[in-house]
Amino acid sequence: MTTEIRGDDACGPDGDPGGAANTEPPMHVSVVVIGRNEGPRLTRCLASVASADWHDIAWELIYVDSRSSDDSVTRARAAGACVHVLADDRPCAAKARNQGWRHARGTYVLFLDGDTELHPGFVRRALAAFGQPDLCAVWGHRRESDPGQSVYTRVLDLDWVYPTGRTLYFGGDVLVRRDALAAVGGFDPALPAGEEPELCARLRSAGWSIDHIDAPMTTHDLGIRSLRAYARRAYRSGIAYADVAARMRQRGDRLWQREARRDFHHGWLYLSLPLVFAALAYAAPLAAAVLGVAVLVVLARTAARSAWKAPGQPLLWAQYALHSHAQKLPAFFGQLHALRARRADAALGLVEYRDTARASGQPSATVRQGLKGMLIGLLVPLAGVWRRLVAERWVRVWSAARLREVTGHAVHASNVILGVVETQGSANVRFGRRALVYPGVCLETQGRGVIEIGDDVVLSRGVHIVAHERVTLGPGTMVGEYTSLRDANHRRSATSVRDSGHDAAPIEIGRNVWIGRGVTVLKGARLGASCVVAANAVVTRDVPAGAAVAGIPARPLPAPALAST
């Protein structure tokens, strides 16, 4: 369904509105440009069509807009194009191209994307190649207009480099016989990506052939300047591979069968590779080193195989090799998405890799949130594997080993160390068994000071213990977040508190003591067994066994309040 926008009731062969269709020579080439929010790129594209070497070739210009939110329609009308707006809730390139060629009057249809610029001599050279009657489509070389805009564009530019000659498929820019399109029904509107190779498979089944000639065809403005856009483009290619390969299997066509299976298997491999490497680094360092060398060998092999695409540019070969493998991970998730949609018999929507810009040129909040949501969903399985195999095992083992090394004392394997424990000073710390230590704990001993942690003690996040003489935590003690236990104070000095020295007295915490969040326990304090210290209290003197204290300084709580504490 489309809405047609014209300056008059008809369009002349050069794209200008006019009503003299009956006196015009037969139309030879219809240029169909499709676009969505292309902005200045579209203006450059339409201008390149107008300035091409048409000479005595009759042509018309048609623009099909996929519900742009910018001024693309206005730009196309200003360029003299016949404009059609695709009124569809799920716009895609296949639907736009179908609308374009069905409105075309030419014997041949030249398809262009709105972010490309046509080479002046391509149409004339392509028409000259249509000598064989079985040839339905001719395409040439597409290259990036500004490959230096980012490292992503630089490597993706080489993706456009294909060998010339008869090919299995063409891309978005191509000159096609209109009667061949009509014979097979055009593009499949159900495909949000990969619509060109799928069409080519049907054309080949009908006896047509496709030729890639050695001639410049278009320059392209990919506009990828961020990892986010790069990953989303690869994600879309994964959807295309899976969708097209599924259709080809039903037809018995070999197109993309091997490539889709290879990328799917590589995706699983690359997803698991960091975890395998981490496990080997812990259990078998030599095997991890061998795996690292194997990865480098594979990258070098890929670089060597791609050298023909960029002669004399070894750095670009290496970058392209890395890209060739890195893109397989988001493409793998794209294949998974297509597989889930196919099993649920759900339609796949358009996947845009470019950020939709605000007037300020910044990506919109909707785009950022959508991409963030997509990445979160894709990374959930990896996050689960990481948590189970790395965070809950490797990090704990590593933290316990580090603590044993820095203190010089045995740390029993029954202790659960959830994250790195910071130690300062002489690190004279002794652990019992079955302690639970959260990340962010700091243990500091100075001189001959010692910290003794009994069995079954819990040290919550951010606990800071400082011992100049001795700090003892009895069995079963629980210490709340960001609590500070310090057995020494600076002496007062009129000149330098820093250099005045300390007064110290041991802190003794009895069995089964419960210390709340943010408590401060100062030098010389003794906390009796099973006592409770309320949150944010400051303990400056002894607390009897079984008592509950709160406040600054800490005082016994009244008997009625004890039950609620």
Side-chain angles (χ1 to χ4, degrees):
M1 179 179 180
T2 64
T3 301
E4 187 171 355
I5 304 175
R6 289 186 175 183
D8 206 312
D9 293 335
C11 292
D14 60 354
D16 292 327
N22 293 334
T23 62
E24 294 166 1
M27 193 65 63
H28 201 52
V29 176
S30 296
V31 182
V32 174
V33 179
I34 65 169
R36 177 179 170 89
N37 296 321
E38 299 296 349
R41 289 188 294 263
L42 178 62
T43 298
R44 293 193 294 270
C45 174
L46 300 179
S48 72
V49 174
S51 62
D53 179 18
W54 295 106
H55 194 50
D56 56 348
I57 302 173
W59 63 283
E60 64 177 348
L61 179 59
I62 298 171
Y63 172 66
V64 183
D65 187 83
S66 293
R67 305 184 67 178
S68 295
S69 57
D70 66 1
D71 60 350
S72 292
V73 167
T74 302
R75 289 174 180 271
R77 295 185 68 184
C82 297
V83 179
H84 304 271
V85 177
L86 192 64
D88 193 298
D89 291 336
R90 291 180 174 272
C92 65
K95 295 174 182 178
R97 291 193 178 107
N98 280 342
Q99 193 61 46
W101 74 261
R102 284 170 181 153
H103 278 78
R105 296 174 293 159
T107 305
Y108 298 91
V109 179
L110 174 63
F111 289 108
L112 296 175
D113 290 340
D115 56 3
T116 63
E117 294 180 46
L118 178 65
H119 187 275
F122 172 71
V123 175
R124 192 167 293 278
R125 291 194 60 177
L127 288 173
F130 275 99
Q132 295 112 346
D134 68 324
L135 194 62
C136 73
V138 174
W139 59 296
H141 301 308
R142 172 195 267 203
R143 298 302 297 266
E144 284 303 305
S145 57
D146 183 14
Q149 67 183 210
S150 71
V151 66
Y152 310 106
T153 306
R154 188 156 52 247
V155 296
L156 287 168
D157 177 46
L158 298 189
D159 274 350
W160 304 131
V161 181
Y162 293 91
T164 56
R166 293 300 171 98
T167 59
L168 295 178
Y169 57 89
F170 49 73
D173 307 334
V174 63
L175 186 65
V176 190
R177 293 183 190 269
R178 190 185 185 283
D179 57 353
L181 289 169
V184 298
F187 297 90
D188 185 344
L191 284 172
E195 68 281 353
E196 304 99 337
E198 192 277 338
L199 167 65
C200 293
R202 286 184 281 120
L203 288 169
R204 287 186 286 103
S205 296
W208 294 101
S209 60
I210 301 160
D211 195 17
H212 181 204
I213 63 175
D214 188 12
M217 176 179 61
T218 53
T219 55
H220 180 252
D221 184 6
L222 195 58
I224 292 183
R225 298 174 177 85
S226 68
L227 179 61
R228 173 172 55 185
Y230 170 82
R232 194 156 174 82
R233 184 178 185 273
Y235 176 79
R236 187 177 74 168
S237 73
I239 293 176
Y241 263 133
D243 247 7
V244 173
R247 282 169 166 76
M248 295 303 101
R249 278 194 298 272
Q250 295 173 356
R251 293 199 185 103
D253 194 297
R254 70 183 188 277
L255 181 66
W256 282 7
Q257 299 302 308
R258 186 180 65 85
E259 292 87 349
R261 286 194 301 270
R262 177 199 62 198
D263 283 7
F264 191 79
H265 294 152
H266 284 180
W268 276 116
L269 175 64
Y270 297 158
L271 191 65
S272 61
L273 193 61
L275 303 178
V276 172
F277 187 82
L280 288 177
Y282 172 70
L286 181 59
V290 171
L291 178 60
V293 171
V295 169
L296 294 176
V297 169
V298 170
L299 288 172
R301 178 172 172 263
T302 305
R305 287 185 168 185
S306 60
W308 71 274
K309 294 191 173 192
Q313 301 183 62
L315 177 59
L316 187 54
W317 305 343
Q319 292 171 335
Y320 187 75
L322 187 60
H323 147 73
S324 298
H325 294 278
Q327 69 173 343
K328 294 184 186 296
L329 193 55
F332 166 73
F333 287 115
Q335 289 208 43
L336 286 181
H337 178 61
L339 180 62
R340 287 196 300 267
R342 191 160 57 250
R343 288 178 175 175
D345 197 24
L348 288 167
L350 178 67
V351 178
E352 295 186 273
Y353 58 83
R354 289 195 185 96
D355 292 336
T356 302
R358 294 179 183 269
S360 63
Q362 296 299 319
S364 70
T366 301
V367 171
R368 289 196 300 269
Q369 292 167 5
L371 289 170
K372 182 179 178 182
M374 181 197 74
L375 290 174
I376 289 172
L378 294 178
L379 292 175
V380 164
L382 180 59
V385 174
W386 180 270
R387 174 178 56 82
R388 289 189 295 271
L389 297 184
V390 179
E392 294 183 358
R393 295 188 182 183
W394 167 255
V395 171
R396 296 181 184 184
V397 173
W398 167 256
S399 298
R402 183 181 181 278
L403 192 59
R404 178 184 294 186
E405 187 276 332
V406 75
T407 62
H409 300 294
V411 178
H412 195 268
S414 62
N415 291 301
V416 179
I417 315 297
L418 297 179
V420 173
V421 176
E422 182 182 353
T423 56
Q424 297 181 5
S426 57
N428 189 12
V429 183
R430 296 180 174 88
F431 278 85
R433 300 191 177 201
R434 299 178 301 280
L436 176 59
V437 183
Y438 284 84
V441 169
C442 179
L443 306 176
E444 177 182 348
T445 58
Q446 297 295 336
R448 301 176 68 178
V450 61
I451 298 173
E452 293 186 346
I453 299 171
D455 296 344
D456 302 301
V457 167
V458 176
L459 300 180
S460 301
R461 183 182 295 273
V463 168
H464 196 162
I465 303 177
V466 180
H468 284 245
E469 284 198 11
R470 180 178 297 272
V471 177
T472 304
L473 281 72
T477 291
M478 293 180 59
V479 184
E481 297 95 335
Y482 307 105
T483 287
S484 176
L485 312 177
R486 297 173 177 268
D487 74 346
N489 290 334
H490 280 280
R491 298 188 184 100
R492 296 185 65 180
S493 170
T495 57
S496 174
V497 174
R498 177 178 179 178
D499 299 326
S500 63
H502 295 81
D503 291 325
I507 294 176
E508 295 183 9
I509 312 295
R511 176 186 295 273
N512 194 40
V513 172
W514 181 9
I515 301 176
R517 189 183 195 275
V519 168
T520 299
V521 181
L522 299 178
K523 69 182 181 69
R526 291 175 170 81
L527 281 64
S530 299
C531 71
V532 177
V533 182
N536 300 314
V538 176
V539 181
T540 59
R541 56 194 174 191
D542 294 353
V543 178
V549 296
I552 303 175
R555 294 183 176 87
L557 291 171
L562 185 58
S564 62
T565 303

